[in-house]
Amino acid sequence: METIDRQERAAAVEATFNVLVEAGAGTGKTSLLINRVMHAIDRHVPLSRMLLITFMEKAADEMRSRLQARLLALGEGADHQDAVERAVESAAITTIHGFCYRILQEFGPDYGIPIGFQVLDEVEAARLWEETFQEWVQDSQFSPKVLDLLHAGITYPQLKSWARRISHWREVPVVEGEFPELASFVRRFAAEARAFYTRALEDAAPDDAGRGQILAIAREFDWLEQVDRREWPRMLALWTRGLGPKGNQKNWAHPEWLKEQKQWLKELKEALGLLRQQMADAYLKMWLDLVGSQFMPLWRRARFEKLALTYDDLLIEAERITREPKVQAALSRRFSLVMVDEFQDTDPLQAAIVRRLVTPPGSTALSPHDQGRLFLVGDPKQSIYRFRGADVETYAAMRQELSTTGGRIIPIWQNFRSNAAILAFVNRWFSDRWPSQPDLERPYVPPFQPLAETFPDDGRERVRVIQWPQARNARDTRRMEALDIAERVAMAVAEGWPVRTKDGQRPLTFRDIALVVPQRTEIDIYRQALRERGIPVSTQSGRSFFQQDEVRGMAHLFRALEMPQDSLAVVGWLLSPWVAMSHEELLQHRRLGGSWDYRETRVGSPEVREWMARLNAWHREFWRVDAEDVIIRALHASPLVTVLREREDKAALANLDKLRSLARDLGDRWTIFEFTQWLYEQVHEGVPFEEAPVAQDDDAVAISTVHQAKGLEWPLVIVANWKPKETYLESGIHYNSRLGRAALKQDPWQSRDWDLLEADHRLREEAEGDRLLYVALTRAKDYLWFYAAFLDPIGEGEKGVSIGDPS
């Protein structure tokens, strides 16, 4: 096929210089990478001297498959086929984690990596971390310093959560912070408060608000000096509230005295605010120092003693080892061509490893004298993995470095996926939001080059933007969207809307349709509306396994069986879908004198007593069964599986299978009490964890988040529930390696750099929100429906685009 950007594609494939190909959505970057490999083979570069790094294993498998097909087409016979299969099988086509694993296996033992190490999965790594943290907590060095943090109102679960976050950082930063002298502060302002109060007694009317205020402040200082000084930090930090100056000068014999008092109150409030920030800085430094100097070495030693590494270790240790000149030289000699797909999804650590593969030993800077060895493909407009550490500014920095050291930035922009009307809408939308050239002051905002169509407009309505005033709340708005989507989907399939095929066209089916949402917030509203209309639904799995009702209910059961006195766990189990009792039924049980202690079953409602007796029988045998036995008993006693099958809720059924498999696997290594504690903590702390994969229906509408949809396409894409997410930085400890700053916020504490980190976070989250929308809109091939009720009003339509309300 003749392409509009054929010269650019040819230049990229045949380049003798370092290249960054900026490949817009649907422009065929996989084919371009394969063409680059084939061109190198034609130039007598063995496949064994090429490295191709992909972002996901699925992409690596596709690369191998397509490359093998191209190589097989070059010859015939069994010998040729065997040679191709061996070459492709041994080729270095891998994810970045897979490549780092190879580096550590080969070079690691010389630089402290355990011989024969294994890579811990999420569960094993989390369990070992818990054990190591508990060991550290029990150490005598832990208690004295951490008591200050606990007295400051920072809870143990918060400290534990912060330590877990720090454990994923590449380095623990050194921050400045010194605990202020509180005694002198209190002495000074207490004396001044008493002096002001003495004057107020002499000068102000008894009912004046200013007189009452200074009395309360003086008494507060008197009381402060009598309590344990370890309580001072939190009390002083909370005191910044309610210090607005009060009083009326008409009630004072000397009005200027009230004026002085109000000025003093302003100074007190500012001083308390500064004190709070200084203490927050000191607490931040204290915890970072404790974790960095004590826990992190212990955590590393715990892993290495078990001959194990985490997925984070693969990157961190490989980056450390590739700094060694001998290792860097060996790797640099090994590969004549280094190719990286989806480069916009890399982070600084990964980029540093890639650089060392094509630079002289001891250097990480690209050289103008060493060209043609680096081939990068990426699209900053599709960088949507910031939550995993991907940094679009790493891409921007590499782009700038490559272009100033003799390399070239080559764009390709012809789209082979979407209809012309869809691309026209996408181009118009993002041309208004993104610059045409890189903005060096805002490297997190991608430049935009309009996409060119391959499939011309045929006059049909291809894009529909549906927007109306929001309902009284977000849930009602989503319900309106969901009902309209269900009606339109049914209509489009019934009318057999034509969709494009290789050979022509065919009627639209349910499997041609995807509902793409930014996150899974209230996604059940859409699923239910489609099913009520008789439309089959297939939902992609996410990372909220431990937040699913069927898993939370089982965590309640394990907790209740271990601790009969935990009434919340007992009630949580009864309310869960496993038992599905209503609040009214439980209230009636209490009215009849029933207890939440299942060991007492003499009174109460018969329905609840029946389940209480069952829990009591299970409890008596809890200590001598394994975790899977508990789940099997629950499955036999509960109607849950029958209900889920009737609802055709394949996702929940798959999660039950996964939960049982986890219980079986972990039960072989842990006691039932260890499994109970682990499951309860995962649910209680909301730990992200992959849900069970669901077998997709042959003919069903897919419901997918944008992250799951990346790399996929459908004839009809419905973008809905598009409510910009809150961009505030969540409370806790955060580190911005790009700014080199760490900050803490936990009411009432806020360190000095928090506002800086939050402003930076908001800018980049908002920019990523635009990139998410770009990815969502460009999944569509033939039709695009965009439900934009939560966005600002959208302007008039254009050819092939309809803008209006559901009517």
Side-chain angles (χ1 to χ4, degrees):
M1 179 186 296
E2 282 292 307
T3 60
I4 297 171
D5 52 7
R6 57 186 176 278
Q7 292 182 343
E8 285 76 9
R9 292 172 187 268
V13 168
E14 300 168 5
T16 57
F17 36 77
N18 292 334
V19 170
L20 169 58
V21 178
E22 293 197 330
T27 54
K29 62 181 181 58
T30 302
S31 296
L32 188 75
L33 279 161
I34 297 299
N35 288 341
R36 182 70 178 96
V37 173
M38 297 302 296
H39 181 271
I41 291 174
D42 288 343
R43 296 299 182 272
H44 308 295
V45 178
L47 190 57
S48 60
R49 289 186 58 79
M50 301 183 210
L51 170 65
L52 203 167
I53 295 175
T54 64
F55 187 62
M56 299 180 70
E57 190 59 50
K58 182 179 178 181
D61 290 341
E62 182 183 358
M63 290 287 183
R64 293 188 195 98
S65 177
R66 293 178 65 168
L67 178 59
Q68 182 167 314
R70 289 284 296 273
L71 290 171
L72 286 174
L74 298 178
E76 297 179 353
D79 291 343
H80 173 70
Q81 182 174 342
D82 290 343
V84 167
E85 290 177 354
R86 287 195 303 271
V88 173
E89 183 65 28
S90 61
I93 303 174
T94 179
T95 63
I96 185 66
H97 284 90
F99 179 63
C100 290
Y101 179 84
R102 296 184 188 189
I103 291 175
L104 297 182
Q105 277 191 317
E106 181 176 355
F107 302 101
D110 290 333
Y111 299 97
I113 301 298
I115 298 174
F117 68 87
Q118 62 172 325
V119 180
L120 299 173
D121 62 26
E122 286 184 85
V123 174
E124 293 169 324
R127 181 65 178 174
L128 181 57
W129 190 93
E130 289 282 346
E131 293 173 354
T132 308
F133 189 78
Q134 288 299 323
E135 177 186 342
W136 181 53
V137 167
Q138 302 305 320
D139 191 283
S140 59
Q141 298 181 61
F142 178 88
S143 300
K145 291 184 179 179
V146 84
L147 280 177
D148 290 338
L149 293 161
L150 297 175
H151 279 293
I154 301 171
T155 66
Y156 173 75
Q158 287 166 347
L159 293 176
K160 180 179 174 182
S161 173
W162 298 352
R164 182 180 288 111
R165 181 186 295 270
I166 295 168
S167 298
H168 292 288
W169 295 351
R170 176 186 174 186
E171 58 189 5
V172 180
V174 176
V175 299
E176 298 296 326
E178 186 174 347
F179 208 79
E181 176 52 56
L182 298 186
S184 59
F185 178 93
V186 171
R187 281 197 302 270
R188 173 200 161 188
F189 281 99
E192 292 174 355
R194 295 186 190 103
F196 277 109
Y197 175 58
T198 300
R199 291 206 314 186
L201 285 177
E202 298 173 358
D203 208 66
D207 60 348
D208 181 75
R211 172 175 165 162
Q213 181 181 40
I214 196 64
L215 169 62
I217 290 172
R219 287 176 174 173
E220 185 78 13
F221 274 115
D222 288 342
W223 181 71
L224 193 67
E225 291 179 322
Q226 297 174 28
V227 301
D228 189 329
R229 292 195 176 191
R230 291 178 298 181
E231 304 298 325
W232 282 13
R234 181 167 173 79
M235 293 169 64
L236 288 168
L238 291 171
W239 199 8
T240 55
R241 302 161 186 172
L243 287 179
K246 299 177 182 179
N248 191 326
Q249 293 184 14
K250 295 179 180 180
N251 298 329
W252 288 64
H254 297 83
E256 66 275 11
W257 287 6
L258 176 60
K259 188 176 180 180
E260 289 178 22
Q261 179 175 302
K262 289 184 175 181
Q263 180 60 36
W264 177 82
L265 280 168
K266 181 180 178 182
E267 293 173 2
L268 172 61
K269 188 171 183 177
E270 291 176 350
L272 285 169
L274 177 61
L275 193 74
R276 180 177 64 170
Q277 177 239 293
Q278 291 173 336
M279 288 189 287
D281 289 338
Y283 291 137
L284 172 64
K285 176 178 174 57
M286 181 185 297
W287 191 237
L288 288 177
D289 288 350
L290 277 171
V291 174
S293 64
Q294 295 183 19
F295 176 69
M296 292 300 285
L298 181 65
W299 171 223
R300 189 173 192 270
R301 186 165 64 251
R303 304 193 303 275
F304 281 32
E305 286 177 352
K306 290 186 175 292
L307 308 182
L309 301 179
T310 66
Y311 281 100
D312 288 342
D313 288 330
L314 293 178
L315 294 175
I316 293 171
E317 298 296 340
E319 192 276 335
R320 175 180 68 84
I321 288 174
T322 55
R323 295 181 207 166
E324 299 292 333
K326 290 183 179 179
V327 176
Q328 187 178 4
L331 292 171
S332 181
R333 288 192 302 268
R334 183 171 301 170
F335 299 113
S336 300
L337 178 60
V338 174
M339 295 167 284
V340 183
D341 189 17
E342 304 283 11
F343 189 72
Q344 78 278 351
D345 292 328
T346 56
D347 61 27
L349 208 62
Q350 296 166 6
I353 295 170
V354 169
R355 275 189 176 93
R356 292 198 182 100
L357 302 177
V358 294
T359 54
S363 172
T364 58
L366 298 180
S367 169
H369 308 295
D370 193 1
Q371 293 290 327
R373 299 180 58 208
L374 185 62
F375 188 84
L376 309 175
V377 179
D379 182 9
K381 301 183 295 299
Q382 298 188 72
S383 178
I384 60 172
Y385 292 102
R386 187 169 181 267
F387 68 96
R388 290 183 182 171
D391 183 7
V392 71
E393 288 167 78
T394 298
Y395 175 98
M398 178 66 91
R399 186 188 198 279
Q400 179 70 12
E401 181 182 354
L402 190 142
S403 64
T404 57
T405 56
R408 283 187 57 186
I409 313 300
I410 300 180
I412 58 174
W413 64 90
Q414 181 159 359
N415 177 283
F416 303 106
R417 175 184 298 154
S418 304
N419 178 275
I422 295 173
L423 294 180
F425 176 73
V426 169
N427 288 340
R428 187 187 65 160
W429 184 280
F430 290 100
S431 292
D432 293 339
R433 284 162 175 76
W434 288 334
S436 59
Q437 297 295 326
D439 186 343
L440 297 181
E441 294 185 358
R442 297 186 303 158
Y444 50 87
V445 177
F448 181 69
Q449 178 166 9
L451 294 165
E453 76 274 6
T454 300
F455 306 104
D457 185 19
D458 58 2
R460 291 185 62 90
E461 180 188 291
R462 297 289 180 173
V463 179
R464 184 168 181 85
V465 179
I466 299 144
Q467 191 171 41
W468 62 85
Q470 293 186 39
R472 60 183 177 178
N473 57 52
R475 184 174 181 83
D476 286 348
T477 300
R478 293 183 176 108
R479 181 66 178 166
M480 291 167 61
E481 284 189 351
L483 292 173
D484 190 64
I485 288 169
E487 192 64 31
R488 290 179 184 277
V489 165
M491 177 193 68
V493 173
E495 294 179 357
W497 288 13
V499 298
R500 187 175 69 248
T501 67
K502 292 181 179 180
D503 302 323
Q505 61 183 30
R506 58 170 175 76
L508 180 76
T509 63
F510 290 129
R511 68 173 176 271
D512 297 322
I513 304 170
L515 173 61
V516 178
V517 295
Q519 58 266 336
R520 298 168 67 85
T521 304
E522 295 190 316
I523 198 171
D524 283 340
I525 293 174
Y526 298 88
R527 183 189 295 115
Q528 181 180 351
L530 290 166
R531 285 178 173 165
E532 287 175 354
R533 192 64 175 76
I535 298 169
V537 178
S538 177
T539 305
Q540 301 286 335
S541 61
R543 285 183 56 79
S544 55
F545 177 78
F546 291 115
Q547 284 75 62
Q548 301 307 308
D549 288 341
E550 60 274 10
V551 179
R552 294 174 63 87
M554 186 52 60
H556 287 312
L557 175 62
F558 274 91
R559 179 82 167 183
L561 294 181
E562 181 186 22
M563 303 178 65
Q565 67 274 22
D566 190 338
S567 58
L568 290 177
V570 174
V571 172
W573 164 250
L574 296 174
L575 290 172
S576 77
W578 288 88
V579 181
M581 285 191 170
S582 66
H583 288 85
E584 290 74 18
E585 288 175 304
L586 298 187
L587 181 60
Q588 178 65 12
H589 176 69
R590 292 292 285 167
R591 285 173 179 161
L592 295 174
S595 167
W596 299 131
D597 189 336
Y598 52 73
R599 294 168 296 185
E600 299 289 337
T601 58
R602 290 171 295 178
V603 294
S605 71
E607 295 81 4
V608 175
R609 288 169 56 198
E610 180 182 350
W611 271 103
M612 291 295 201
R614 188 175 284 125
L615 289 175
N616 191 31
W618 291 349
H619 165 68
R620 288 197 300 267
E621 297 185 358
F622 186 66
W623 63 275
R624 60 183 179 185
V625 300
D626 58 32
E628 188 182 11
D629 288 332
V630 174
I631 297 177
I632 291 173
R633 292 180 181 186
L635 288 169
H636 288 160
S638 168
L640 177 60
V641 171
T642 301
V643 171
L644 293 177
R645 285 174 179 164
E646 290 174 353
R647 293 178 181 172
E648 296 184 357
D649 194 339
K650 296 183 179 180
L653 289 168
N655 281 332
L656 291 182
D657 287 340
K658 179 167 183 172
L659 181 62
R660 184 173 173 179
S661 177
L662 281 170
R664 183 188 311 118
D665 294 342
L666 298 178
D668 292 339
R669 289 174 276 167
W670 302 347
T671 68
I672 194 167
F673 300 102
E674 290 176 313
F675 180 83
T676 298
Q677 180 184 1
W678 172 80
L679 182 60
Y680 176 79
E681 288 176 348
Q682 306 311 295
V683 169
H684 182 68
E685 297 177 12
V687 176
F689 196 74
E690 290 288 346
E691 295 170 41
V694 181
Q696 303 301 317
D697 291 335
D698 290 336
D699 190 22
V701 173
I703 300 180
S704 173
T705 64
V706 182
H707 293 98
Q708 294 165 334
K710 190 168 183 287
L712 303 177
E713 58 184 38
W714 292 269
L716 167 57
V717 168
I718 307 164
V719 178
N721 196 17
W722 205 269
K723 191 176 191 300
K725 63 180 180 179
E726 296 293 332
T727 55
Y728 295 103
L729 200 61
E730 64 181 18
S731 296
I733 280 182
H734 295 272
Y735 175 48
N736 188 318
S737 59
R738 184 168 26 78
L739 298 176
R741 305 286 183 88
L744 158 69
K745 184 176 183 180
Q746 192 68 53
D747 190 45
W749 309 110
Q750 179 175 315
S751 64
R752 62 175 172 267
D753 286 329
W754 180 266
D755 289 338
L756 173 66
L757 263 62
E758 183 171 71
D760 183 82
H761 170 79
R762 295 185 66 180
L763 283 174
R764 283 153 181 79
E765 282 287 293
E766 290 168 3
E768 186 168 76
D770 280 341
R771 300 195 295 271
L772 276 168
L773 184 56
Y774 174 82
V775 171
L777 297 178
T778 55
R779 301 307 95 195
K781 296 173 62 179
D782 297 291
Y783 305 97
L784 173 65
W785 299 347
F786 182 20
Y787 284 77
F790 294 108
L791 301 183
D792 293 334
I794 296 171
E796 296 298 323
E798 56 190 41
K799 186 177 181 183
V801 180
S802 173
I803 297 180
D805 59 37
S807 62

